[in-house]
Amino acid sequence: MTHPTWRRATTAVVAGRPEPGPDAPVAVPVVATATYGAGGSRGYGRYANPTWEALEDAVGRLDGGRAVAFASGMAATTAALAALLAPLPADLPVVAPRHAYHTTLRLLERLDRPLRLVDVADTGAVGAALGGAGLLWLESPTNPMLEVADVPRVLATARTLGVRSVVDATLATPLLLRPLEHGADLVVHAATKYLAGHSDVLLGVAVGADDEVADALRAERADHGAVPGPFEAWLALRGLRTLPVRLERAQRSASELARRLEQHPVVTRVRYPGLATDPGHAVAARTMDGFGALVSIEVAGGAAVADATSGLTRLWLHATSLGGVESLLERRRRWAAERPTVPESLLRLSVGLEDVEDLWEDLDGALRTAARLESSPGAATPP
Ligand SMILES: *Cc1c(COP(=O)(O)O)cnc(C)c1O
C-alpha cells in the first residue's frame, strides 16, 4: 500500500502493509512455513516468504531499488560481492575504504583479487584508484572513523570508468543517503543496526538498482541459503516503521552531545560530521540529509582511560553494535580485528533514545572519574 507522492517517513509506515479491507490485518503477518502448495511462484521456503517480501517492499521503496533480505549484514555483503564479482575477470582490482567495517575488509582480503585500499574522504585518491578497477566497495560514513565520501562524485567517476559499485549505507540509512539515485549498482544495509533498531535481531538487506542485480542477489540467497527467519524479518519491519522518528531523535541528541564533548577536558578529539569543525562536514552537508547518530571520541590518557570510561557508565551500555534504541559505547581497539589506524583511545558512541541530559551526565561523570582514577591509581575510590 503506497502512493507515488507519499514521502519517506510515510513510506516507512505503510510500505509492505496488507491491502486494506474488511477484516484485513493491519499489521504484516509472520508467515512461518518451510514450503508452499505446488503450482505457485514461491515454491519453497528458501526461495521466498511473504514476510520477507513485506520488508523488502519497504526497504526497496525507501532506497529506490529492489531489496533482498538476508540473515545478517555480512550475508548481504557476501551475496553483493558474489553477485557483482562473478562476471568480472579475476585480476580486476577491488577498491575499498581502508576503514571499511572490519569484517567486510577481512572478506575482501580473502577474495584472492588485488585490493586497493583508499581514504574515502579523499575524492581524488578514490578516483585515481578506480582506473583499471573492477569494483568499488564504498562505505560512508565509515565505521568507526566517520569519514565521509563524496558519494555522488565518486559514483559518477566509477560509472564513467565502467567500474561497478556497492555502497554499505548502514550508518546513513536510506533516510540520509540513497546511493542508487547517484548510480550505485547496489546498496547494502546491516539492518541489525538502525533499520531494525532495537538490538534484538540480526538481519541484512541488499538493494539492487534493477531486476538483473536483484535476481543475482536472490540466486545467491537461494543457493547459499543465508535466508532470514520470517520472525526476524517481521521484527525488522516492525522496527523500520519507527525509523524516521528514532533517527530524528537520536541524531538531535548525537549533535548536542558532540557539541558538548568538543569542550570536554578529557576529550582530545570528536568525530561527528555534524560539527562544523569536522573534516567531513562540508561533504556531508552537501550530499546527505542528516549527520547520523554515531559519534567517535578520543580521550586523553589513551586506552586505559577509554577502558575505564566504558566500565564506569551506568546508562550507556558497554557493548558493541549500534543503531538501537539504547545508547552503547565501546573502545573499538579492544577488538584484535580492528584496524591499527583506528586510535587506541577511540570510543565509539551509538546514541540512542534516552533523555539527552541523562546521557550527558552519565558520560561526563564516567569520563571525569576515569581520568582521575587513571592519573592517580589507587588514590581515588570509585563512586
Ligand atoms: C554491523 C555492520 C555490518 C555487519 O552486519 P551484521 O548484521 O552484524 O552481519 C556491516 N557493515 C557495517 C557498516 C556494520 O556496522
Side-chain angles (χ1 to χ4, degrees):
M1 208 193 92
T2 52
H3 187 277
T5 69
W6 287 344
R7 292 153 184 87
R8 270 184 198 83
T10 306
T11 300
V13 175
V14 306
R17 185 193 279 175
E19 277 306 314
D23 277 345
V26 167
V28 170
V30 183
V31 180
T33 187
T35 190
Y36 304 92
S41 61
R42 292 195 177 102
Y44 183 57
R46 189 155 32 75
Y47 307 148
N49 176 280
T51 314
W52 306 348
E53 287 158 21
L55 172 68
E56 291 169 346
D57 181 51
V59 180
R61 285 177 196 279
L62 290 174
D63 256 321
R66 315 250 160 207
V68 182
F70 289 86
S72 67
M74 288 318 299
T77 296
T78 303
L81 283 172
L84 292 185
L85 287 174
L88 298 180
D91 58 341
L92 282 188
V94 174
V95 177
R98 65 189 166 127
H99 290 134
Y101 182 65
H102 63 79
T103 314
T104 303
L105 271 185
R106 199 156 67 206
L107 208 57
L108 292 170
E109 278 159 6
R110 283 185 6 206
L111 282 179
D112 231 15
R113 275 180 187 269
L115 186 58
R116 297 176 180 167
L117 296 180
V118 291
D119 173 0
V120 288
D122 185 342
T123 306
V126 179
L130 287 173
L135 180 76
L136 168 66
W137 182 279
L138 209 54
E139 188 181 312
S140 184
T142 57
N143 174 10
M145 295 290 269
L146 302 178
E147 298 139 328
V148 182
D150 189 334
V151 171
R153 275 180 68 191
V154 167
L155 290 178
T157 307
R159 280 189 88 78
T160 308
L161 297 171
V163 177
R164 306 210 76 186
S165 56
V166 188
V167 181
D168 180 338
T170 296
L171 268 56
T173 83
L175 298 183
L176 308 187
L177 181 72
R178 288 167 300 282
L180 299 181
E181 291 177 357
H182 303 291
D185 292 294
L186 218 155
V187 170
V188 166
H189 299 289
T192 307
K193 315 291 172 55
Y194 291 101
L195 301 193
H198 293 70
S199 303
D200 53 8
V201 62
L202 282 155
L203 203 114
V205 182
V207 192
D210 54 32
D211 285 333
E212 196 186 322
V213 177
D215 287 347
L217 290 167
R218 267 187 225 103
E220 289 298 329
R221 179 177 65 183
D223 292 354
H224 291 150
V227 296
F231 185 62
E232 281 70 18
W234 182 86
L235 275 175
L237 181 59
R238 190 186 212 271
L240 188 69
R241 298 302 192 209
T242 56
L243 174 66
V245 279
R246 282 188 287 108
L247 195 58
E248 200 177 296
R249 165 64 175 262
Q251 215 171 216
R252 193 168 354 112
S253 298
S255 161
E256 178 61 24
L257 293 172
R259 204 178 54 72
R260 295 187 194 183
L261 286 163
E262 255 195 324
Q263 312 296 327
H264 199 283
V266 182
V267 175
T268 54
R269 175 154 185 195
V270 181
R271 294 168 196 266
Y272 182 66
L275 291 173
T277 50
D278 191 89
H281 180 70
V283 172
R286 177 162 50 79
T287 61
M288 295 172 65
D289 292 332
F291 302 110
L294 270 199
V295 180
S296 289
I297 59 174
E298 289 161 46
V299 300
V305 170
D307 281 335
T309 303
S310 331
L312 285 164
T313 56
R314 295 176 189 190
L315 181 55
W316 295 79
L317 291 172
H318 183 205
T320 197
S321 198
L322 56 102
V325 294
E326 58 290 286
S327 295
L328 306 179
L329 89 172
E330 72 165 335
R331 186 173 74 84
R332 283 302 294 178
R333 288 289 299 281
R334 76 190 175 94
W335 297 96
E338 187 56 273
R339 280 72 32 100
T341 43
V342 172
E344 277 285 358
S345 82
L346 183 140
L347 283 169
R348 186 183 68 192
L349 313 174
S350 172
V351 180
L353 308 188
E354 305 89 342
D355 190 295
V356 68
E357 296 303 334
D358 291 330
L359 289 173
W360 172 251
E361 284 166 20
D362 190 43
L363 185 60
D364 173 45
L367 284 165
R368 286 173 194 271
T369 307
R372 201 172 65 237
L373 289 174
E374 290 303 319
S375 65
S376 51
T381 44

